[in-house]
Amino acid sequence: MSQLAEHAKAWLDQDPDPVTKLELQALIDNQDEEGLSSRFSTRLDFGTAGLRGELGAGPNRMNRVVVAQTALGLAKFLNANRETYLDPSGGLSAVIGFDGRTNSDVFALDSAKILSAAGIKTFLFSEMVPTPVAAFTGRRLGASLTVVVTASHNPPRDNGYKVYLGGPTGGSQLVPPQDREIANLITALSTGTTFQQIPKSKDFTLIGQPEISQYLDRAKTLISMHESEIAQRSAIRITHTALHGVGWKVVNPLMAAAGFKVLPVTLQKEPDAKFPTVAFPNPEEKGAMDLSFAEATRNDSDIILANDPDADRLAVAVRNGDGYQMLTGDQVGLLLANQLAPTSKAIANSIVSADLSALAKHYGVPYTQTLTGFKWISKVPDLGYGYEEALGYCVDPEYTPDKDGITAALIIAQMASDLKAQGKTLVDQIQDLAQRFGHVATGQVSLRVSDLSVIRKITSGLRSNPPASIGDEAVIFEDYSARTDAMKTDALVFSNESIKIIVRPSGTEPKLKCYLQASATSKPAATKLLENLKTWADATLSALK
């Protein structure tokens, strides 16, 4: 306890945030060993997702000290690799955006001051923006670094720090080995350098509406803006939810310019760091879409479009009888693939997403499956479209090299409008595509934990004693952590010609995810096979837990 208290007191001396200082002082005064250990026994890991974690004091929380150390580590990395990451002007530059979560603006401002003091020309958004807008701006300016302060769809008490590198990566997400190099620099800086000792400067440039307008102008080029088509789009009714995030301010003018009548879920359209109407601001979570369903019913909407809080993801629901049917990420991914493949150079998705090889062959375009995450998808050569089943779609990779729930929403709205003019729906289109390219049912079973050792226990159990069959299906087991190629990752794969199950820890949440895919000659057969896989996954995870 005495050593923990010493670490805590040293942290207290440098903490510039009165809220976290009070929190930490209370833990020290109460000799709360468990609370102090949770904050000081380890450090929030900096990886390919940047940082993400719960707000609070100490190195294992998101706070001003951790963010300042991270910003300084990034600055040192860029200066040490200056020639690799020069922007078009021949210098080093950074774009910083932030969402509406608690302290996002504070973390962004601290980062701008630190990067600027390190000699990096820094552009800080003066207002909250969706992650895709910041990523687009970083790519457009050829910035050496883009940072977005966001925890995306994580619980309300979390925040995060998403990092994109310029230079040879073209403004896409951070990948190894650069993530480890930066992490090592941050760790080295965390001892002996206090928050007050980190140089800071106000010599940065504020950016805002002009940059948002440039994003909107580019987005409008992704669909036809002919007057006759714009007029036709008023016939489709759309409900939109921003889930208390930052998407509506950009979605609204974009959809209006394209001719769509979009009605917001009023209680969720403005940013609110408390997320008062949802437990988890993720469209995939139970209950998150309840207000959207109610609003769409009142408005008699044809479809529902839902963005997560930083608007890099998109969920879609379609009217079905008296209610609404949520489309899976793979179904939306298939719809967009069919729309974009004819003009794409290449298409790609992650290994946990449905196989698109039949569609790619039909359109004569290259197809690649990558490891999970847009840090990999965005780096596929000549990418024209990429997606992953967790509601992430990259429809304009040349300009926004990451998932973008706003431009994806625009294209889905156009598709729904065109189909309605033909007397069809998005569900009809999915059925037509299944008839053409095969019936594939996908789903997911996930286990949220408070103790990460539970995840290690379950995966260790599966590794040491992998099943030879799942139900009536004999399967081949492959441990991707044992691979020696670019596909090496912490994932367990059980598959045959009809099924595929991938078990892996989430990279951004305390979850173990079990991805399920079932292929069959008909929709009922694929659906039944998927249900059998869900039963197996539930039972297996419970038993191993």
Side-chain angles (χ1 to χ4, degrees):
M1 177 66 186
S2 60
Q3 190 175 21
L4 279 173
E6 287 176 15
H7 288 319
K9 288 174 182 176
W11 189 277
L12 197 65
D13 290 339
Q14 66 165 320
D15 193 341
D17 188 333
V19 174
T20 48
K21 282 177 78 80
L22 281 173
E23 170 203 322
L24 186 53
Q25 186 65 63
L27 292 172
I28 295 170
D29 293 343
N30 295 328
Q31 297 186 358
D32 187 340
E33 184 172 0
E34 183 180 349
L36 290 174
S37 177
S38 172
R39 289 159 176 79
F40 288 91
S41 61
T42 186
R43 183 176 184 86
L44 202 62
D45 185 47
F46 182 92
T48 54
L51 293 172
R52 200 172 294 185
E54 185 179 350
L55 291 161
N60 196 34
R61 295 289 188 274
M62 280 295 297
N63 52 65
R64 292 183 69 184
V65 177
V66 165
V67 166
Q69 292 168 346
T70 302
L72 184 58
L74 287 167
K76 288 188 176 295
F77 173 82
L78 287 180
N79 278 307
N81 298 275
R82 183 180 181 86
E83 295 304 315
T84 302
Y85 295 102
L86 293 177
D87 66 16
S89 72
L92 294 176
S93 60
V95 169
I96 303 175
F98 60 94
D99 68 5
R101 285 180 180 261
T102 301
N103 275 358
S104 285
D105 56 343
V106 176
F107 296 159
L109 180 59
D110 283 345
S111 299
K113 291 178 178 179
I114 292 165
L115 290 169
S116 179
I120 297 166
K121 188 174 183 180
T122 302
F123 301 90
L124 171 66
F125 273 93
S126 60
E127 58 189 288
M128 297 176 252
V129 292
T131 291
V133 174
F136 168 86
T137 303
R139 176 67 163 251
R140 182 177 64 81
L141 297 177
S144 313
L145 169 74
T146 300
V147 169
V148 188
V149 183
T150 177
S152 192
H153 58 286
N154 272 41
R157 278 292 301 164
D158 286 5
N159 212 328
Y161 201 81
K162 194 171 185 179
V163 177
Y164 305 78
L165 284 177
T169 65
S172 59
Q173 284 187 46
L174 189 65
V175 294
Q178 288 81 9
D179 59 338
R180 285 297 93 197
E181 292 177 36
I182 294 168
N184 291 337
L185 286 169
I186 295 168
T187 301
L189 291 166
S190 66
T191 55
T193 306
T194 66
F195 180 89
Q196 289 73 21
Q197 292 171 332
I198 297 175
K200 303 173 187 70
S201 168
K202 294 182 179 179
D203 187 23
F204 54 82
T205 301
L206 290 176
I207 57 177
Q209 191 55 51
E211 284 67 34
I212 296 173
S213 296
Q214 295 228 31
Y215 170 87
L216 290 170
D217 288 344
R218 171 59 196 176
K220 292 171 193 173
T221 69
L222 300 178
I223 66 171
S224 170
M225 295 296 286
H226 192 276
E227 288 184 9
S228 62
E229 293 194 52
I230 291 175
Q232 173 187 299
R233 291 172 187 148
S234 62
I236 191 166
R237 295 176 67 86
I238 301 171
T239 290
H240 175 270
T241 178
L243 287 180
H244 300 295
V246 296
W248 176 248
K249 187 176 179 180
V250 178
V251 168
N252 186 33
L254 177 61
M255 290 294 192
F260 294 107
K261 184 177 180 62
V262 181
L263 302 165
V265 177
T266 305
L267 291 176
Q268 297 176 335
K269 77 172 185 176
E270 299 297 336
D272 189 333
K274 295 180 180 178
F275 299 96
T277 68
V278 289
F280 293 98
N282 178 354
E284 293 179 296
E285 294 284 350
K286 186 177 181 180
M289 295 292 291
D290 287 355
L291 283 180
S292 300
F293 294 148
E295 188 72 27
T297 300
R298 282 193 295 271
N299 294 330
D300 192 28
S301 291
D302 297 286
I303 63 171
I304 301 170
L305 301 174
N307 290 126
D308 67 339
D310 70 326
D312 66 345
R313 298 175 191 241
L314 171 71
V316 180
V318 181
R319 185 164 52 196
N320 185 6
D322 295 332
Y324 288 85
Q325 172 188 342
M326 289 292 294
L327 301 185
T328 68
D330 279 314
Q331 287 174 327
V332 177
L334 176 64
L335 288 168
L336 289 167
N338 187 66
Q339 183 80 0
L340 299 170
T343 57
S344 288
K345 299 175 184 176
I347 60 175
N349 61 4
S350 60
I351 58 171
V352 298
S353 304
D355 191 308
L356 294 180
S357 55
L359 182 145
K361 183 178 180 180
H362 173 79
Y363 288 110
V365 296
Y367 170 58
T368 303
Q369 282 201 307
T370 73
L371 292 178
T372 305
F374 269 85
K375 56 185 174 284
W376 304 114
I377 294 171
S378 63
K379 292 175 178 61
V380 169
D382 295 322
L383 182 69
Y385 165 68
Y387 91 91
E388 59 183 3
E389 56 75 44
L391 310 184
Y393 315 98
C394 180
V395 302
D396 191 26
E398 185 179 351
Y399 287 82
T400 306
D402 196 12
K403 54 185 176 290
D404 182 348
I406 299 171
T407 50
L410 179 68
I411 296 176
I412 287 291
Q414 179 201 19
M415 292 170 61
S417 174
D418 292 344
L419 287 165
K420 185 172 184 179
Q422 303 167 32
K424 296 182 178 181
T425 69
L426 293 173
V427 173
D428 294 329
Q429 179 77 338
I430 290 168
Q431 292 172 348
D432 289 346
L433 294 175
Q435 286 295 115
R436 194 186 313 175
F437 302 123
H439 294 272
V440 180
T442 62
Q444 185 185 130
V445 171
S446 62
L447 177 68
R448 185 179 291 272
V449 300
S450 55
D451 180 0
L452 292 178
S453 68
V454 173
I455 291 178
R456 291 191 292 272
K457 179 181 178 182
I458 293 173
T459 54
S460 294
L462 282 171
R463 279 192 172 95
S464 61
N465 189 26
S469 62
I470 295 173
D472 297 329
E473 301 278 344
V475 293
I476 297 172
F477 167 64
E478 185 174 1
D479 183 355
Y480 272 45
S481 69
R483 294 182 68 140
T484 57
D485 59 8
M487 297 296 282
K488 179 183 174 70
T489 189
D490 185 8
L492 309 173
V493 182
F494 307 89
S495 64
N496 61 26
E497 290 184 357
S498 301
I499 67 172
K500 187 176 186 181
I501 297 176
I502 301 177
V503 181
R504 61 177 287 274
S506 169
T508 56
E509 297 178 88
K511 275 184 175 183
L512 181 66
K513 293 187 174 183
C514 191
Y515 302 88
L516 313 169
Q517 299 178 27
S519 303
T521 55
S522 69
K523 181 180 178 180
T527 301
K528 183 178 180 180
L529 186 54
L530 178 65
E531 290 304 316
N532 292 340
L533 297 184
K534 286 183 178 178
T535 300
W536 175 87
D538 280 326
T540 300
L541 294 187
S542 297
L544 288 170
K545 182 182 178 184

